Amino acid sequence: MPGESHHRSLPLLTDDERALASRLHSDVEMLATTIGPRNILSHLPALNRAADWIESLFRDIGYEPIIQEFREDGETVRNIAVELRGTSKPDEIFVVGAHYDSVTHCPAANDNASGIAGTIELARYFNAKPFARTLRFVAFVNEEPPYFHTEQMGSLVYARAFRARNEKIVGMISLETIGYYSDSAGSQKYPVPFNRFFPSIGNFIGFCGCWSSRRFVQRVTESFRRHTQFPSEGLAAPDWIPGIGWSDHWSFSKVGYPALMATDTAPFRYAYYHTPQDTPEKLDYEKMARVVMGIGRVVQEI
């Protein structure tokens, strides 16, 4: 990957980052504590409540949500998008998204209330700012099993609709489990053989994509490293390797769009992944704010 990961002490938080950390915490608490587990199979009312809350918050920020409904297991579910229309290249679209569903009986603070919070706060940050290209912020349903990597995965339904309309997506970033960081030795694990090449301390944000998106992964990693003083690692590899395709970026890559996942690496670092213990107090909201602001700088540059 181009550029160099930040290895020195982190700078003091800015006032904007402190305010962002507070909002991220509030967003995660709403999804993980007030609403709780959310999925079709065992927590459908909570899934619908989460979707209603996301829609309402997007409206409060100043957007008009674009809803994509589809049927699954006899229920109507929805992807929720908002858009900032580009000024000079409106047909070129950049997508930032995250899934709002959870596995059964998991509050899912990190997986993936953290990603939804980051998506919402980036939408807030960019609202009404002029850009050449169009920006879309999307909350996806049905990322978790049993819909993961199936025709009913919300992001695949969404990406295929893009492709059917022949829309031009220049890049997609999926925010997936972005809230947990550790400075302890041995806190970071990897699938073989990547343990030989990457750090054993889980204090970084990872940018991970399928091999077909390797140039996009390189571009995003380089931009983040140039603009943000926070540890980062990048990896593009075949999606049959465990972890490479474990988020909504997989859907966009599947239909031929450049896409990646921004992640704290989930089960390779986070012991509470997919458990009832995935709760809000486990997350580091100040570091999460640094990451979200850094990704915002990447989006702004691209």
Side-chain angles (χ1 to χ4, degrees), residues 3-281:
E4 183 178 351
S5 177
H6 181 79
H7 294 298
R8 297 176 297 278
S9 298
L10 297 178
L12 294 175
L13 284 175
T14 66
D15 290 342
D16 286 345
E17 287 169 337
R18 291 188 184 280
L20 174 58
S22 178
R23 291 195 303 272
L24 291 167
H25 193 173
S26 177
D27 294 341
V28 170
E29 285 281 359
M30 171 58 76
L31 281 170
T33 302
T34 304
I35 296 176
R38 45 206 180 271
N39 52 68
I40 292 178
L41 298 181
S42 60
H43 297 86
L44 178 61
L47 183 71
N48 289 331
R49 187 179 177 191
D52 291 343
W53 175 75
I54 293 166
E55 278 192 51
S56 176
L57 192 51
F58 276 146
R59 285 194 175 93
D60 289 345
I61 293 170
Y63 293 95
E64 184 55 42
I66 306 163
I67 308 303
Q68 182 192 41
E69 293 185 337
F70 61 99
R71 297 282 291 177
E72 179 51 40
D73 284 335
E75 304 293 343
T76 299
V77 292
R78 51 192 143 151
N79 295 318
I80 307 156
V82 295
E83 179 177 283
L84 284 171
R85 191 72 174 163
T87 55
S88 59
K89 299 179 181 179
D91 295 333
E92 297 183 9
I93 302 164
F94 196 96
V95 178
V96 177
H99 70 90
Y100 64 92
D101 60 313
S102 76
V103 294
T104 300
H105 305 307
C106 178
N110 202 21
D111 183 20
N112 190 33
S114 66
I116 283 290
T119 300
I120 289 169
E121 296 309 322
L122 284 172
R124 185 193 305 277
Y125 177 76
F126 285 119
N127 186 31
K129 290 182 172 64
F131 290 98
R133 289 169 164 158
T134 293
L135 279 177
R136 284 187 185 164
F137 301 94
V138 191
F140 299 111
V141 72
N142 285 11
E143 191 268 356
E144 297 287 7
Y147 309 110
F148 183 67
H149 284 194
T150 72
E151 298 297 314
Q152 293 76 41
M153 189 172 175
S155 55
L156 186 58
V157 173
Y158 193 84
R160 282 185 167 163
F162 263 85
R163 180 55 76 190
R165 295 191 297 266
N166 201 31
E167 292 187 282
K168 183 178 182 181
I169 296 180
V170 298
M172 185 272 180
I173 295 178
S174 173
L175 305 185
E176 176 69 49
T177 318
I178 61 170
Y180 185 77
Y181 304 90
S182 174
D183 291 318
S184 299
S187 56
Q188 184 66 51
K189 310 298 182 184
Y190 305 91
V192 175
F194 300 107
N195 55 315
R196 299 183 180 183
F197 311 116
F198 289 98
S200 61
I201 296 175
N203 64 350
F204 61 87
I205 187 68
F207 298 107
C208 175
C210 303
W211 185 248
S212 60
S213 294
R214 59 192 178 277
R215 290 184 179 85
F216 182 62
V217 176
Q218 290 173 336
R219 183 178 186 188
V220 169
T221 304
E222 188 278 331
S223 178
F224 184 90
R225 288 175 169 180
R226 182 157 36 86
H227 292 298
T228 302
Q229 296 180 65
F230 192 87
S232 60
E233 299 294 336
L235 173 65
D239 64 6
W240 52 262
I241 294 173
I244 298 298
W246 287 0
S247 189
D248 294 300
H249 67 298
W250 174 87
S251 300
F252 287 78
S253 295
K254 190 80 171 174
V255 300
Y257 292 124
L260 62 76
M261 161 178 59
T263 181
D264 65 13
T265 75
F268 299 109
R269 177 188 306 174
Y270 188 56
Y272 312 104
Y273 176 76
H274 282 189
T275 74
Q277 288 72 49
D278 182 7
T279 47
E281 77 280 359

